[in-house]
Amino acid sequence: MITFEQVSVRYDDTDRPALRDVDLTVEEGELCLVVGHTGVGKSTLLGTVNGLVPHFTGGTLYGRVTVDGRDTAHHPPRELADVVGVVGQDPLDGFVTDTVEEELAYTMEQLAIAPHVMRKRVEETLDLLGLADLRRRALYELSGGQQQRVAIGAVLTAHPRVLVLDEPTSALDPSAAEEVLAAVTRLVHDLGVTVLMAEHRLERVVQYADRVLHLPGDGRVVDGPPAEIFRTSSIAPPIVDLGRAAGWSPLPLSIRDARRAAAPLRGRLAGQPPPPAAAPRGAGRAAEALLKARGVTVSYQGVPAVREVGLDLRGGQVTALMGRNGSGKSSLLWALQGSGPRTSGTVEVAAAADGKAPGDPHTMAPALARRAVGLVPQTPSDLLYLESVQQELAQADRESAAAGPGAGTARALLDRLAPGIDGATHPRDLSEGQKLALVLAIQLSAAPRVLLLDEPTRGLDYRAKTELIRIVGTLAGEGRAVVIATHDVEFVARAADRVVVMAQGDVVADGPTRDVIVASPVFAPQTAKILAPLPFLTVDQVTTALDRLATGPAGPGSGADA
Amino acid sequence: MARTDPGPAESPPPGPGTPPPGPGVPPPGRAAPDTGGRRLPRILHPVAWWIWALALATAVSRTNNPLLLFLVLAVLGYVVTARRTEAPWARGFVYYLYLAATVVAIRVLFRAVFATGITPHDHFLFALPHIPTPDWYAGIQLGGPVSLEALLSAATDGLRLACMLCCIGAANTLANPKRALRVLPGALHELGVAVTVAISVAPQLVQSVRRVARARRLRAGRSKGLTALRGIVVPVLEDALERSLRLAAGMDSRGYGRAGTASRRSRRVTGALMLLGMCGLCAGAYGLLDATAPAFLGLPALGVGALLCVGGLRTGGRRVTRTTYRPDPWRLPEWAVAGTGVLSALLLFANIGYDAAELNPSIYPLSWPTLPPVPTLAILLAGTAGFLAPPPTEPRAVPARRTEKAATT
């Protein structure tokens, strides 16, 4: 279906090619997963399939890419629209019309398909993706999962043979992501559509993949069956990490297979007290509440987004704020910081040793509120407006100095968070993880004791997430209270001490990570699902426990795959 | 009265052999066949609204009578409130009213400042300080005495212009701009899409301005002055640019602008035809409006220009092959709405049954304007569009949100 022959792609302003000597064939009806760290050329690889690379992005393509017998060198994306359908990360970016039905018809209109055929296909697609109830709704009113399904439907109506999905679930909460992935697998199984999909959160998709294309980072593409590729790849979901640690062979990729393979492991770990999931916080673990919120309500035009939420944030504690899209997480964080609206309720920041007075951040001057509570918004780049990292950092120092003596310069903070960022770089050229670190450094330069992060894990790969976990651990270790709004269960399991779950503006669960997360089948991380009823949450816990067993008084274990 | 809720009670039972549902049908479950009945909620063809509004604007251009002009405003207000939807573009009429008021105010102000002198018969109102202008600028006088007559004539002039503006505003409010763009001939497809993208990106731009402005408080950035502006403008523009690029890439991969049978030559022919045709149209319009222009510049030039334009659109349209999903139907209500508009314009041009002087009451000497019956009737006739057009469909979400609000408060 798709053939790459000796394909290399080089962008004009870079010294090394984004893709190098790629030779592969994707057969009809395969679900191909494209994995790799950020910036290794995943999007480039996907772009070559419908000719966006190089027709739209520029750069030079050597070799030959053929899709359904058509050479992309001679066919620009629009001429391939009937063969390849492309769905991007943020569905709202790609919508051309106003309503679901019109959006579904748009591609067909461009392809000059007869009106009666369009009618029929729109109805079929509405049913196939479960969108029939939404047909007349405006696109911007839909939830993220619904929008993404509409975006997939909108390319499907043209009956493409190939579907290219570039991180389709990265903006979605777990259940919306399930919804989209279920739709995709249904397409593969029922219609035989060939799917090429890039995805960061592998734990969601790895079980559906027929084949994995791994981009190790030097421009090459390694392809093979998932169990084989993940045996050695540098990037892997927790289930694979657990399988590797336990030495299972063949590597299980679904929870079902892993649970079957895990019976002996569960037997060995039974009775072992699980080591703490998050890194120990040391001396910073103070019981003192740094921020007290009581009855916080936020409404927009009479519709409440947050309803009478009470929350105590303690120093040295990492709190994860979870809940589906639109459950009021962001509104709560903004209200706690004081910059967002608050309809009623009180927020009080505790007095600090260095003379910061207790008070309500909402009534403080922005410069003071910033010293009390720091917030990193969902799109960190909203805060960046200067030409270089150096200028941003200098500006941050000036802003913080205006509010009193800071806790060191922003540059020092950045070097601690993410060493080795060149000061002359333009902030837009940084990777998502680096941008996050830069904004974090800017906000930390005011030395707030409470730090709120609004969905920082969006768009981060495994390596960047591990980095973030380390950073968050350090911040908590210094005695700060950290709140992270996120959808990422695996991240929460590794980073958070406490989980608060919100639904429709209410707090529905609040407690230690282990209790909240394991109790829910949707929220449980893979390790917990595999080892239930044992209270293990992360692979690190398991390996630590196994090490302890191996060196413990019981003597060396009888091998991991006993 | 006509704004009944599109409940199931209103839908007649589906009869045998009903045509496939047209636009504006409620979702399945409360299926209602579109039998062309007037009371079934549906969206009127956008072109019908445009013809109606443009005809009314033409009618307005004939009169200077403030009473008639106010009547036109009242009619526009009635039709807009009766037949607009809940869509974002349908909330814009009030801004056109503001614009109209500004036009009148500017007109009056300029007339007062750039005074043209005063005759002994005029009613003197007040005098502005006279500013002497240099000799080479002698034609224009700044300041000086201001008469009631001058201000009144400026105000009625301004009001006429304001009425025409409001007519355009009403068309924009009543017709979905994206659907209206669909009737553009194929050759202008690109133009239509450019406007579509602009319409889609504009609300997102407003959203990202709000988001960035809110985020600025997080850095305790100054909220006034040039630095603040930069802190908002730079991220917003970068965001908008990235969005537009992604949208453009998305449209490209969804087949927008697929080449039909176009060649470089046919594209050049199209361009030349369109350009010449436009020149012809302009010359023709000039010839028609200016009585002193030579005769060949009038209708003949207009005709030739129109022909060239049609030819250009034809050849250009051939290279874009696309179809339309659910084209808007043109039925009785469309004829009725467009017809009332055109009829009222014709009545105001026909000079039948009334004195043409009544359309433009004299200012010198000052007299109270009368309300001539036939033009009044003509304008009221245009107002019947308010109930001749079918009621628009209510978007599903609006009642839902209202009940949600009611439940939570």
Side-chain angles (χ1 to χ4, degrees), chain A residues 50 78 93 98 101-103 107 109 113 118-119 136 141 339 370 382-383 387 392 399 428, chain B residues 25 178-179 211 215 217-219 230 238 246 252-254 258-259 322-323 325-326 397:
Chain A
N50 81 327
R78 50 187 172 276
D93 280 347
D98 300 318
E101 228 180 325
E102 286 174 359
E103 188 64 27
T107 314
E109 288 183 336
I113 288 170
M118 280 202 250
R119 284 277 175 89
R136 306 206 66 83
E141 291 173 350
S339 295
R370 194 169 165 253
D382 283 353
L383 291 182
E387 269 93 49
E392 291 283 2
E399 284 160 1
R428 288 271 154 182
Chain B
V25 237
K178 284 188 187 171
R179 288 198 89 88
R211 208 187 58 220
R217 207 184 116 106
L218 294 181
R219 275 188 83 165
R230 184 176 176 195
E238 275 173 350
R246 281 195 294 257
D252 202 3
S253 27
R254 287 175 65 187
R258 275 163 79 92
R322 60 191 298 275
T323 46
Y325 176 73
R326 295 203 167 176

Side-chain angles (χ1 to χ4, degrees), chain A residues 50 52 56 77-82 84 86 90 92-98 101-115 118-119 122-123 132 135-137 140-141 154-155 300-304 307 334 337-341 361-362 364-367 369-370 375-377 379 381-387 391-392 395-396 399 426 428 442-443, chain B residues 20-28 43 86-89 91 176 178-179 182 189 193 196-197 199-200 204 207-208 211-212 214-222 227 230-232 234-236 238-239 242-260 320-327 393 395-398 401 404-405 407-409:
Chain A
N50 81 327
L52 276 178
F56 192 84
R78 50 187 172 276
E79 303 297 334
L80 288 166
D82 50 337
V84 186
V86 181
D90 191 345
L92 266 183
D93 280 347
F95 288 152
V96 187
T97 61
D98 300 318
E101 228 180 325
E102 286 174 359
E103 188 64 27
L104 290 181
Y106 182 80
T107 314
M108 291 190 287
E109 288 183 336
Q110 305 308 313
L111 299 176
I113 288 170
M118 280 202 250
R119 284 277 175 89
V122 166
E123 298 305 323
R135 60 193 302 157
R136 306 206 66 83
R137 291 274 295 276
Y140 64 89
E141 291 173 350
V155 298
Y300 298 104
Q301 280 131 30
V303 183
R307 315 176 66 158
W334 280 88
Q337 203 277 333
S339 295
H362 191 64
M364 290 181 196
R370 194 169 165 253
L375 171 63
V376 175
T379 9
S381 48
D382 283 353
L383 291 182
L384 306 174
Y385 59 97
L386 296 168
E387 269 93 49
Q391 287 178 21
E392 291 283 2
Q395 178 66 25
E399 284 160 1
H426 193 285
R428 288 271 154 182
I442 289 172
Q443 293 302 64
Chain B
V25 237
I43 308 281
E86 295 285 337
W89 63 83
R91 296 171 201 147
N176 180 343
K178 284 188 187 171
R179 288 198 89 88
R182 285 190 175 187
H189 184 52
V193 169
T196 310
V197 171
I199 294 172
S200 329
Q204 291 177 351
Q207 231 174 39
S208 64
R211 208 187 58 220
V212 172
R214 188 177 67 159
R216 271 199 68 70
R217 207 184 116 106
L218 294 181
R219 275 188 83 165
R222 253 182 288 154
T227 16
R230 184 176 176 195
I232 290 173
V234 170
V236 166
E238 275 173 350
D239 196 44
E242 273 169 23
R243 263 176 208 275
S244 316
L245 276 177
R246 281 195 294 257
L247 181 58
M251 288 175 76
D252 202 3
S253 27
R254 287 175 65 187
Y256 157 68
R258 275 163 79 92
V320 179
T321 45
R322 60 191 298 275
T323 46
T324 309
Y325 176 73
R326 295 203 167 176
T393 359
R396 296 294 113 201
V398 172
R401 196 170 292 161
E404 183 189 34
K405 238 185 267 178
T408 47
T409 43

Side-chain angles (χ1 to χ4, degrees), chain B:
Chain B
M1 37 142 277
R3 232 177 142 69
T4 45
D5 59 324
E10 219 183 7
S11 323
T18 42
V25 237
R30 40 169 74 183
D34 195 353
T35 52
R38 190 156 62 81
R39 289 299 125 193
L40 270 183
R42 76 178 175 95
I43 308 281
L44 200 76
H45 197 294
V47 172
W49 281 127
W50 273 99
I51 292 179
W52 175 81
L54 289 178
L56 201 57
T58 318
V60 164
S61 73
R62 279 284 288 174
T63 177
N64 233 347
N65 187 332
L67 293 180
L68 286 177
L69 291 176
F70 279 118
L71 188 65
V72 169
L73 281 183
V75 159
L76 287 176
Y78 161 66
V79 175
V80 165
T81 34
R83 283 299 176 262
R84 68 165 181 189
T85 55
E86 295 285 337
W89 63 83
R91 296 171 201 147
F93 191 64
V94 66
Y95 298 105
Y96 285 95
L97 287 180
Y98 290 145
L99 188 67
T102 321
V103 164
V104 175
I106 289 180
R107 196 86 187 207
V108 171
L109 190 77
F110 269 53
R111 189 62 181 269
V113 173
F114 300 100
T116 47
I118 189 164
T119 61
H121 306 291
D122 288 355
H123 297 73
F124 173 79
L125 278 185
F126 55 90
L128 291 173
H130 183 78
I131 300 165
T133 44
D135 286 344
W136 50 267
Y137 207 60
I140 293 170
Q141 205 184 342
L142 285 181
V146 178
S147 71
L148 179 64
E149 280 82 356
L151 288 193
L152 276 180
S153 87
T156 45
D157 255 12
L159 192 62
R160 185 166 63 169
L161 194 61
C163 272
M164 289 163 133
L165 266 176
C166 286
C167 286
I168 306 295
N172 265 328
T173 313
L174 290 165
N176 180 343
K178 284 188 187 171
R179 288 198 89 88
L181 285 170
R182 285 190 175 187
V183 301
L184 283 183
L188 299 182
H189 184 52
E190 276 92 345
L191 182 75
V193 169
V195 178
T196 310
V197 171
I199 294 172
S200 329
V201 169
Q204 291 177 351
L205 208 62
V206 174
Q207 231 174 39
S208 64
V209 166
R210 267 196 217 140
R211 208 187 58 220
V212 172
R214 188 177 67 159
R216 271 199 68 70
R217 207 184 116 106
L218 294 181
R219 275 188 83 165
R222 253 182 288 154
S223 51
K224 286 189 187 108
L226 260 176
T227 16
L229 196 67
R230 184 176 176 195
I232 290 173
V233 167
V234 170
V236 166
L237 284 188
E238 275 173 350
D239 196 44
L241 195 68
E242 273 169 23
R243 263 176 208 275
S244 316
L245 276 177
R246 281 195 294 257
L247 181 58
M251 288 175 76
D252 202 3
S253 27
R254 287 175 65 187
Y256 157 68
R258 275 163 79 92
T261 53
S263 62
R264 184 179 291 264
R265 210 178 124 260
S266 82
R267 237 174 300 169
R268 282 207 186 127
V269 169
T270 311
L273 283 176
M274 288 301 290
L275 208 63
L276 280 173
M278 284 297 175
C279 289
L281 282 182
C282 290
Y286 173 73
L288 274 186
L289 295 176
D290 185 4
T292 61
F296 71 90
L297 263 186
L299 279 178
L302 201 68
V304 172
L307 272 182
L308 285 176
C309 276
V310 169
L313 291 179
R314 271 282 171 82
T315 53
R318 231 183 295 151
R319 75 196 155 93
V320 179
T321 45
R322 60 191 298 275
T323 46
T324 309
Y325 176 73
R326 295 203 167 176
D328 291 306
W330 186 282
R331 297 204 182 118
L332 199 64
E334 278 80 6
W335 283 116
V337 167
T340 54
V342 172
L343 201 60
S344 71
L346 284 180
L347 279 175
L348 275 159
F349 272 87
N351 277 348
I352 304 167
Y354 60 93
D355 185 4
E358 282 178 299
L359 285 183
N360 298 299
S362 108
I363 301 262
Y364 305 94
L366 209 54
S367 62
W368 186 254
T370 54
L371 201 60
V374 175
T376 308
L377 217 71
I379 289 167
L380 286 178
L381 185 69
T384 55
F387 51 86
L388 284 178
T393 359
E394 297 255 350
R396 296 294 113 201
V398 172
R401 196 170 292 161
R402 269 184 205 144
T403 49
E404 183 189 34
K405 238 185 267 178
T408 47
T409 43

Side-chain angles (χ1 to χ4, degrees), chain A residues 27 44 109 146 163-164 184 238 245 282 357 430 553:
Chain A
E27 300 298 338
T44 304
E109 288 183 336
Q146 292 169 336
L163 203 56
V164 174
V184 170
L430 299 176

